[in-house]
Amino acid sequence: MRRAIALSKKGQGFTAPNPLVGALIVKNNKIIGKGYHHFYTGKHAEVEAILDAKKKGFSTKDASLFVNLEPCCHFGSNPPCTEAILKAKIKQVFIGIKDPNPLVCGKGIAWLREKKIKVIENICKKECSALNEIFIHFQKTGFPFTAFKIANSLNGKIGIKGKEIALSGQKAQRFTHNLRQRFDAILTGVNTVLADDPQFNVRFRKKKKDPLRVILDPNLKLNKNFQIFKDNNFLLCVKEENLSKAQKKFKIKNILALKINQNNKFSFQDILKKLTSLNITSLLVESGSSTLVELLKQKIPQKGYFIQSAKFLFSSQSLPILPDNFAFNINLKVKKISKLENDVLFEVNIDY
């Protein structure tokens, strides 16, 4: 099952809104077929594995199938995988977790058992759930899974006002770009763009897909010369009263006009609703402290990635992770700690 999980990750960045799925076919203690879901609307992992076994000249009769997610049993962009399993005469199926999609959720397992195919559930359940946390959240809530990533110095600073500073090393930067590959969209605030002129794309990978860039610029401080507007793969968020001005200034259609709340801030629920309508299942936030604070106040993110640099930032213009008047509690549950050369990565789940 862990091999199936590793195989599924080859599809990261390309399968949404579908899940990451890998499959292995085993016969006589030998792996005879491998497959994974390559891209949305592409063949499902189970079918890829069956075809791989046949291509190699192996019979799948009485073989075992290992797959990290319950096989589908309905017609969508692909025919049911359960039918393909039956046709391949596979005798038993080892499944990581049930598919949370209501169209499947237990029905695929029940169908296989009705056809006298043995099903063993919950193999590496914890790892399989973590693999598809984005898909599971989206299926259960109807809103994009949201996480933030932030790099900070040893003394709790994220930068110096008016200066572009690289806090983390190359390995941490590679992690960031691999992380972006996993998300459908990336969100940032106007101050981050003004300070750093970031590209917010995916680099260091041969096979890559850039996320949609979501930019919060309520009062139109930006212009078309910033790198973040280099193509049309972005969504500019402005205040309602600035919509016509924004359309005239940027001469584009991908502008989202939003109301502001009583604190003169955007409602992130409104942004998530728009992203859902665009079939966006996941959102990564890379921003400064003001945007991060508002996200946390509105109880939006499910996860956080803190990259702890080994550097100190001593300056009267240094910027803190969170302001001194940050006055509410957040429960962070550390899920994983990793060393990235001289930096340390903390992956945390958030409870409000």
Side-chain angles (χ1 to χ4, degrees), residues 2 102 122 155 191 198 240 249 255 266 309 322 334-335:
R2 291 193 176 100
N122 301 323
N155 57 330
N191 291 332
E240 276 187 333
K249 182 177 182 179
I255 298 174
F266 287 139
S309 168
L322 297 172
V334 178
K335 304 302 291 184

Side-chain angles (χ1 to χ4, degrees), residues 18-50:
N18 282 356
L20 295 169
V21 185
L24 299 175
I25 297 176
V26 178
K27 191 172 183 179
N28 299 323
N29 295 320
K30 180 181 178 181
I31 295 173
I32 62 170
K34 300 178 183 180
Y36 70 95
H37 189 35
H38 289 244
F39 57 90
Y40 178 57
T41 72
K43 290 184 181 69
H44 289 184
E46 300 93 323
V47 174
E48 288 277 3
I50 291 168

Side-chain angles (χ1 to χ4, degrees), residues 235-247:
L235 180 66
L236 180 65
C237 300
V238 303
K239 289 197 294 190
E240 276 187 333
E241 54 265 40
N242 288 330
L243 176 59
S244 60
K245 185 178 177 182
Q247 290 171 333

Side-chain angles (χ1 to χ4, degrees), residues 49 60 70 97 112 138 160 168 172 174 189 222 275 278 333 345:
T60 56
E70 177 183 7
I97 57 173
L112 290 171
F138 188 74
I160 296 176
S168 49
R174 286 184 177 275
L222 302 177
L275 294 178
L278 297 174
K333 293 185 178 179
L345 169 67

Side-chain angles (χ1 to χ4, degrees), residues 244-256:
S244 60
K245 185 178 177 182
Q247 290 171 333
K248 184 177 180 181
K249 182 177 182 179
F250 285 91
K251 297 180 180 178
I252 54 174
K253 294 181 179 180
N254 36 339
I255 298 174
L256 177 61

Side-chain angles (χ1 to χ4, degrees), residues 69-73 82 95 97-114 119 121:
L69 191 71
E70 177 183 7
C72 66
C73 54
T82 48
I95 294 172
I97 57 173
K98 287 181 180 178
D99 189 331
N101 184 343
L103 293 173
V104 184
C105 200
K107 297 173 186 175
I109 292 170
W111 191 95
L112 290 171
R113 285 174 173 158
E114 285 175 9
V119 178
E121 300 179 61

